[in-house]
Amino acid sequence: MKKIIFSLFAVLMIGGTSVFAQGKYGPDSAECIKYLSYYKEYFKQKSYDSALPNWRKAYSLCPPTANQTMLIDGTSLMRYLIGKNSKNAIYRDALVDSLITIHRTRAQYYPKYAVTAMNNMGLDMINYIKDDPQALYDGLNEVIEANGEDTRANIFLFKINTAVSLYQTGALTAEDVIEDYEQALAMISKMTPKNDIEKQQNDKVKTDIESLFITSKIASCDKLISLFTPRFEANPDDLETVSSIVMMMGSTEGCTDNELFLNAVTKMHELDPSYNTAYFLYRLYNSRNDIDNAIKYMEEAIAYPESDSLQDGAYCYELATACFKAGHSAKAFSTALKAIEYDPTLAGKSYMLIGTIWGSLVCQGNEIETRAPYWVAIDYLVKARNADPALAEEANKLIGQYSTYFPQTGDAFMYGITNGDSYTVSCGGMRAVTTVRTQD
């Protein structure tokens, strides 16, 4: 907001501060009490135009200690005047200055309500200071410095939005905005919501801040690596530092495939282990085609009691798919079966995967031993089709494909087996009992 010459009203406000120490009602207590009474009567009736001159007089005569309500009502009257004089830029700016002054005065003289006063000041700044991002940024910083983790969560969102605007004009550096972003998320994480609704609101603000930062594309991956590498090396065992690195780099596109990120996630899991951090490490190692470490961390995630059976089932299915792609067929087979144990609703998908695993095996041996895995594959594809009719088309297609690899009846007879016989298949570290099927 541009610096302006105060209006007569603002001067009166400042004049009122000279008698703050003159007693509860000031040197002219009778006049103070009189005008407090006058304005309140009009204010109660919402006759703000009539209340205003009496309120101005009360404010000029009474010290802030006379009545906190005078200050609270004053903010309402200022908002009324600001709306009424929206087209008079100079007078409107003076009114906004006065509104902010009232909030600061309340915070100073009524410390029990200072947090509320400063939060209200922040909200009024957001509403009324729209043409001067630097003034808004400085004002919101003042609120946050005063209130800390008691700051209203959405004030952090508007601060980050303003910081992005200042970065775009060159007033702030990328490092400045990154520090503001880290501060915002750290403060919101420390907040203690009063109820579930407030918690949901705070979580939404946090998500909005993350989305805003990501879409702003302020920090390139190279910049983050150069910024965070010395921080990590200086404080590798500081959970807040490590978590911030993971959060920032994880939310930046293409910034997870580097040693700093991997080391930070590994350290975060070491300092504050959970199934979430274990799963994150699984994904990192799997993306690097390091299936052994991927398996290690996914099994660790599944073992945590905090993850329920449905989550464990989903993890098992995901791990089974990864193992199959990496050529670990036996591990994929056993893990897919575990997925069904944890979550029976995954039976269709898991049986489908198992059928594909058996159908892709290349086994050594005679004419029967090399073809027998297709019998097992079809057994599981039929199970998949029965468990989930939505998979019927895909399952039938594979069944038709694998059936062409059945041995001829004559070849089976040569090995002493016929249609319908029970047959045990052992291949690739897997074992299954199936039924002999031949082609005519």
Side-chain angles (χ1 to χ4, degrees):
M1 186 172 12
K2 295 178 180 178
K3 297 295 181 181
I4 56 172
I5 298 174
F6 280 178
S7 64
L8 175 61
F9 166 69
V11 173
L12 286 175
M13 289 181 64
I14 293 173
T17 64
S18 64
V19 294
F20 285 176
Q22 301 284 342
K24 181 175 181 180
Y25 292 105
D28 197 346
S29 58
E31 288 294 293
C32 167
I33 293 170
K34 180 177 74 173
Y35 283 104
L36 282 174
S37 177
Y38 285 173
Y39 100 78
K40 283 181 182 178
E41 288 302 315
Y42 289 115
F43 190 87
K44 288 177 184 178
Q45 301 169 30
K46 296 185 178 181
S47 180
Y48 298 143
D49 288 321
S50 298
L52 271 162
N54 293 287
W55 180 89
R56 288 192 180 108
K57 191 68 175 177
Y59 193 88
S60 67
L61 292 168
C62 304
T65 52
N67 192 302
Q68 182 181 194
T69 304
M70 174 182 69
L71 302 176
I72 297 172
D73 291 345
T75 61
S76 297
L77 292 170
M78 290 306 100
R79 295 185 194 108
Y80 167 75
L81 278 178
I82 290 168
K84 188 176 180 181
N85 295 277
S86 59
K87 295 181 179 180
N88 186 338
I90 295 177
Y91 185 43
R92 178 190 177 281
D93 286 349
L95 292 170
V96 172
D97 280 342
S98 299
L99 174 60
I100 301 308
T101 298
I102 295 173
H103 286 304
R104 290 194 180 111
T105 301
R106 185 187 178 201
Q108 178 183 354
Y109 287 91
Y110 296 90
K112 183 178 178 180
Y113 300 96
V115 167
T116 299
M118 294 303 288
N119 277 331
N120 288 343
M121 184 176 90
L123 296 178
D124 278 332
M125 286 179 166
I126 291 166
N127 287 329
Y128 299 123
I129 303 178
K130 298 182 183 297
D131 60 347
D132 190 341
Q134 186 64 59
L136 177 58
Y137 180 79
D138 293 340
L140 297 182
N141 269 332
E142 179 186 348
V143 174
I144 293 167
E145 184 177 347
N147 284 0
E149 60 195 65
D150 291 321
T151 305
R152 287 275 295 267
N154 60 337
I155 288 176
F156 287 104
L157 175 60
F158 280 95
K159 179 189 171 181
I160 298 300
N161 186 58
T162 307
V164 171
S165 297
L166 291 172
Y167 167 79
Q168 292 169 343
T169 62
L172 290 180
T173 66
E175 287 77 8
D176 292 330
V177 183
I178 290 170
E179 287 181 7
D180 287 338
Y181 173 81
E182 290 180 297
Q183 179 204 50
L185 295 189
M187 287 284 193
I188 293 174
S189 296
K190 292 179 182 178
M191 292 178 181
T192 304
K194 297 177 183 177
N195 48 53
D196 289 341
I197 293 177
E198 187 172 305
K199 181 180 184 304
Q200 292 173 5
Q201 291 172 340
N202 288 359
D203 289 344
K204 184 180 184 305
V205 168
K206 188 174 180 181
T207 299
D208 289 344
I209 288 173
E210 291 171 342
S211 299
L212 175 61
F213 186 82
I214 292 169
T215 55
S216 71
K217 297 181 179 180
I218 285 175
S220 67
C221 187
D222 289 342
K223 186 180 289 293
L224 291 178
I225 291 174
S226 64
L227 177 68
F228 286 133
T229 295
R231 292 193 193 181
F232 180 76
E233 292 174 348
N235 296 289
D237 295 318
D238 180 65
L239 180 59
E240 185 174 342
T241 297
V242 172
S243 299
S244 178
I245 292 171
V246 172
M247 187 181 305
M248 291 288 291
M249 298 185 73
S251 62
T252 301
E253 185 178 353
C255 203
T256 59
D257 187 18
N258 58 79
E259 289 304 311
L260 174 61
F261 185 72
L262 177 61
N263 291 338
V265 176
T266 303
K267 180 58 74 170
M268 185 170 71
H269 182 62
E270 177 187 318
L271 296 171
D272 187 23
S274 69
Y275 74 90
N276 283 321
T277 54
Y279 174 70
F280 205 173
L281 283 168
Y282 151 77
R283 291 187 61 184
L284 283 177
Y285 280 109
N286 188 45
S287 69
R288 293 171 167 231
N289 298 315
D290 185 345
I291 192 64
D292 291 334
N293 272 315
I295 292 171
K296 169 190 170 183
Y297 284 110
M298 182 64 100
E299 290 183 339
E300 192 174 325
I302 293 168
Y304 275 94
E306 291 82 4
S307 61
D308 58 26
S309 59
L310 295 180
Q311 183 66 74
D312 290 340
Y315 281 167
C316 281
Y317 179 78
E318 184 174 350
L319 179 59
T321 302
C323 288
F324 173 55
K325 291 179 179 178
H328 289 239
S329 297
K331 185 66 177 178
F333 174 47
S334 61
T335 308
L337 289 175
K338 285 183 181 178
I340 300 171
E341 293 177 14
Y342 284 120
D343 183 3
T345 65
L346 295 174
K349 292 168 60 177
S350 297
Y351 286 141
M352 192 79 175
L353 176 60
I354 293 171
T356 307
I357 292 169
W358 278 97
S360 65
L361 288 178
V362 177
C363 302
Q364 302 299 314
N366 59 39
E367 187 71 12
I368 302 304
E369 290 169 338
T370 57
R371 296 173 182 266
Y374 294 113
W375 297 332
V376 182
I378 289 176
D379 291 341
Y380 280 104
L381 291 171
V382 170
K383 286 184 177 182
R385 182 178 64 190
N386 293 338
D388 186 355
L391 298 173
E393 183 178 352
E394 185 180 356
N396 287 336
K397 181 179 178 181
L398 288 174
I399 289 170
Q401 177 183 329
Y402 294 158
S403 297
T404 63
Y405 298 110
F406 288 173
Q408 297 294 320
T409 302
D411 293 334
F413 180 76
M414 292 292 293
Y415 288 97
I417 58 174
T418 60
N419 257 327
D421 286 351
S422 178
Y423 187 92
T424 299
V425 183
S426 182
C427 177
M430 300 185 296
R431 187 180 178 87
V433 177
T434 185
T435 302
V436 173
R437 275 149 285 188
T438 64
Q439 298 186 68
D440 294 333

